[in-house]
Amino acid sequence: MSIDPAGLPIRSGEAAATEWEGLMAAAQQGDGLAYDRLLRAVMPFLRAIARRRFPNRADAEDAVQDTLMTLHALRHAYDPSRPLRPWLAALCERRCIDRMRWHHRHARGETALHDSVQAIAAPGMESAGERAILRQEIQARVAALPRAQRVALLLTKLEELPLVEASARSGMPVGALKIAVFRGIRSLRRQFLLTRAA
């Protein structure tokens, strides 16, 4: 049994999975310490998934960080009565797939919609640290959008759900969902353009 930086034990296997669910439930109620412990506890699990997908450690670590950002954005959506491990594994697998698609698009010279938002926000940004800061800024700006736009972007862009599934999960008709995505992206672009002009 290992010890986390707070001096508390980190368990592994089935006992850890059960503990994770308790920590997640506490985190959903606003317990910051439980959330911090949960993030530390799940990191080796997420890294193991990402490293199976990526031989390059940097890509694997980027996928883990993307997963943690998605977890942070969607933690309210987790159902505490269900096992946490499969939910986390699905999030991590999606983020790994996103990263592989990103590499594939860039190898072909294509640019995804969220990449163009980054280009508007900070063209020529090269370092991983700068990109991580930008991702956090985008996440904060998405969190500040009106609810319909925020939910639409989270479901269609972060989770990459098909429109029909995103519509069912959000309760919005497909047409309204498309409009919310369009308006959310337009709002983000406008914000980044204003920031650059300031």
Side-chain angles (χ1 to χ4, degrees), residues 54 56 58-60 62-63 66 93-119 125-128 131-132 134-135 138 157 160:
F54 296 104
N56 180 319
D59 286 332
D62 284 346
D66 291 346
E93 288 288 347
R94 283 181 183 264
R95 295 296 72 85
C96 288
I97 291 167
D98 290 347
R99 186 147 291 278
M100 285 187 275
R101 286 178 179 159
W102 182 87
H103 281 295
H104 185 64
R105 278 194 309 268
H106 284 271
R108 294 186 313 181
E110 297 177 12
T111 303
L113 197 50
H114 63 275
D115 294 332
S116 60
V117 170
Q118 290 188 5
M125 188 172 286
E126 296 297 330
S127 81
R131 287 193 302 272
L134 181 57
R135 278 197 303 266
I138 290 171
K157 300 301 177 191
E160 292 191 349

Side-chain angles (χ1 to χ4, degrees), residues 135-151:
R135 278 197 303 266
Q136 290 173 346
E137 184 179 348
I138 290 171
Q139 183 182 4
R141 289 179 189 241
V142 168
L145 289 172
R147 184 186 180 283
Q149 294 174 21
R150 183 176 67 247
V151 168

